Amino acid sequence: MDYQIARHNMVENQVRTNKVTDPLVIAAMEEVPRELFLPEGKRGIAYVDEDIPVGNGRYAMEPMVIARMMQSAEIARSDVALVIGAGYGYTGAVLSRVAETVVAVESDKEMASIAEKTFQAHSYDNVIVVEGNLAEGYAKQSPYNVIVFDGAVAEVPANILDQLSEGGRLLVVVRAPGKVGVARLYERENGVVGHRDLFDANIPYLPGFEPAESFVF
């Protein structure tokens, strides 16, 4: 399989056709080999336009969703970004081509180790993988200019919103039970965090961020 051709076709047919025009985002999607950030048995489907299951309840998020959220974040070359749910590292890798530094938090020890080794082997020197509880983010290096969740959530924890800098942007797909998910942009302005909805995106939940079970009487 010619991954370079597949990657170019992904950008042309999935990214550009879904309202992504930011040249930095498009260049990042063209550059980063998605197949490197998947388990070996999944590499043949690296460029399909869907979320790819990678084990342990985790998914590699659909490239179009990543690209549209990055464009909405208006990432600057000087920005420091946080990824909640590094997985095997693809979202962090794409962000690293646009932002100055990326911190990627991962709770799965094996995934964190593989992502770190992949970053090192392919000279993604501005990405740091941290093993830890996803729901806690990584306050030690906060505040962040950009925070991206690599999966859907029922709601965004307040403690992660607290890790946004002034002017910071948080991108996440929020899914209420039984409803279609929506990509949402949170922004901190004058110390207050507000949000607006961007587009529909029905991606899987990030483990640990599912809706709380409710009892029916």
Side-chain angles (χ1 to χ4, degrees), residues 153-173:
V153 305
E155 58 182 335
V156 180
N159 64 304
I160 293 181
L161 288 171
D162 289 342
Q163 294 173 35
L164 274 179
S165 67
E166 178 64 26
R169 293 85 66 204
L170 183 148
L171 284 301
V172 62
V173 173

Side-chain angles (χ1 to χ4, degrees), residues 45-196:
I45 57 170
Y47 296 101
V48 297
D49 57 345
E50 59 186 50
D51 309 291
I52 299 174
V54 294
N56 203 17
R58 301 292 289 278
Y59 290 78
M61 191 161 58
E62 184 180 348
M64 177 275 290
V65 175
I66 298 171
R68 290 192 69 178
M69 291 200 300
M70 284 180 61
Q71 176 170 269
S72 299
E74 298 181 355
I75 302 169
R77 291 290 193 186
S78 58
D79 281 347
V80 177
L82 173 68
V83 178
I84 305 294
Y88 286 102
Y90 179 69
T91 298
V94 177
L95 280 169
S96 78
R97 303 299 86 177
V98 182
E100 180 177 55
T101 303
V102 178
V103 178
V105 180
E106 180 49 58
S107 56
D108 185 295
K109 185 175 183 178
E110 182 179 2
M111 285 186 183
S113 175
I114 292 172
E116 179 65 30
K117 289 175 182 176
T118 306
F119 289 140
Q120 290 178 358
H122 298 279
S123 301
Y124 288 84
D125 300 325
N126 61 333
V127 188
I128 302 165
V129 180
V130 178
E131 187 183 338
N133 186 336
L134 302 186
E136 294 178 2
Y138 193 63
K140 184 176 180 180
Q141 293 293 329
S142 66
Y144 301 96
N145 307 106
V146 177
I147 298 176
V148 177
F149 279 78
D150 203 349
V153 305
E155 58 182 335
V156 180
N159 64 304
I160 293 181
L161 288 171
D162 289 342
Q163 294 173 35
L164 274 179
S165 67
E166 178 64 26
R169 293 85 66 204
L170 183 148
L171 284 301
V172 62
V173 173
V174 179
R175 279 180 59 195
K179 295 186 178 180
V180 174
V182 59
R184 185 171 291 171
L185 168 65
Y186 290 81
E187 296 180 272
R188 181 182 296 279
E189 295 184 7
N190 299 316
V192 178
V193 177
H195 72 266
R196 59 187 173 89

